[in-house]
Amino acid sequence: MATSKAPITRLKNLRVSSHQIPALDRTPNTSIQKKPLLIYHSAFYPGTSASTMESHLSTVGVVDPQWRYTMYSTSHFHSNTHEVLSIACGKAKVCFGGEDNPKRVEATVEQGDVIVVPAGVSHRLLDDINGDFTMVGSYPRGKQWDMCYGEEGEEEKVKGIKYVEWFERDPVYGREGPTLNV
């Protein structure tokens, strides 16, 4: 479990949104593993820098921070790993599940939020509200991400989603946390 010196909201005070999103055409979303999209609202304290987020995630030791960037404006998903997105700067409206999916999730996320995106869940940026939206993208230790777009020819990759292991420890909170209660 993270120490009291960690730059994170106490677990008992954390607000979490959990979403199951059905498949749409060739995009599986949460239909294969049944693990929900999770949004940890204000998980990191206001003003926590990207470097501090990366340091905290590395110390917890579940995921490796791999990049800092915005979210692509094209719907995409990863078939070989789950993804942890820590919002380092700004505010944005994002879409999960595909724009044409009547059960899609459109959420406004902001600095300090953390999104746990299960393998197979489509995601894209709809609106960079402040013009400076930046995330720290992290993946389970030893994993590299691929890119899928719900297109023909990705069927074998999609079949592999059922073998992607879920978290044994929470990427933000360690021995406790929302990923362990799904």
Side-chain angles (χ1 to χ4, degrees), residues 6 20-21 27 30 34 44 49 54-55 69-70 79 104 108 113 115 121 124 139 141 157 159-160 166 168 173-174 176:
Q20 291 287 347
I21 307 169
T27 301
T30 62
K34 307 294 188 213
F44 285 99
S49 70
E54 291 166 343
S55 177
Y69 196 61
T70 190
S79 69
R104 71 187 174 273
T108 299
D113 292 347
I115 309 165
V121 173
R124 71 166 287 217
Y139 304 87
R141 290 254 156 118
K157 286 183 174 185
K159 286 180 187 176
W166 190 245
E168 291 182 16
Y173 290 91
E176 300 178 69

Side-chain angles (χ1 to χ4, degrees), residues 39-53:
I39 302 174
Y40 300 12
H41 301 277
S42 300
F44 285 99
Y45 292 155
T48 302
S49 70
S51 295
T52 300
M53 289 178 178

Side-chain angles (χ1 to χ4, degrees), residues 78-83 117-120 138-140 143-146 164:
H78 311 292
S79 69
N80 61 348
T81 186
H82 308 298
E83 184 173 38
V117 185
S138 304
Y139 304 87
K143 300 291 182 183
Q144 293 295 317
W145 45 277
D146 66 356
V164 177

Side-chain angles (χ1 to χ4, degrees), residues 26 30 89 148 155 177 179:
R26 293 186 175 104
T30 62
C89 186
C148 296
E155 295 83 5
T179 61

Side-chain angles (χ1 to χ4, degrees), residues 78-98:
H78 311 292
S79 69
N80 61 348
T81 186
H82 308 298
E83 184 173 38
V84 177
L85 303 172
S86 303
I87 313 309
C89 186
K91 183 176 186 177
K93 185 172 183 181
V94 293
C95 178
F96 300 96

Side-chain angles (χ1 to χ4, degrees), residues 15-17 19 37-41 96 107 109 113-116:
R15 187 171 67 87
V16 179
S17 299
H19 306 276
L37 169 75
L38 297 170
I39 302 174
Y40 300 12
H41 301 277
F96 300 96
V109 295
D113 292 347
V114 174
I115 309 165
V116 178

Side-chain angles (χ1 to χ4, degrees), residues 94-129:
V94 293
C95 178
F96 300 96
E99 307 90 286
D100 297 329
N101 190 335
K103 303 267 179 143
R104 71 187 174 273
V105 173
E106 291 185 4
T108 299
V109 295
E110 58 191 333
Q111 196 277 329
D113 292 347
V114 174
I115 309 165
V116 178
V117 185
V121 173
S122 172
H123 48 289
R124 71 166 287 217
L125 177 70
L126 293 174
D127 183 23
D128 180 347
I129 295 168

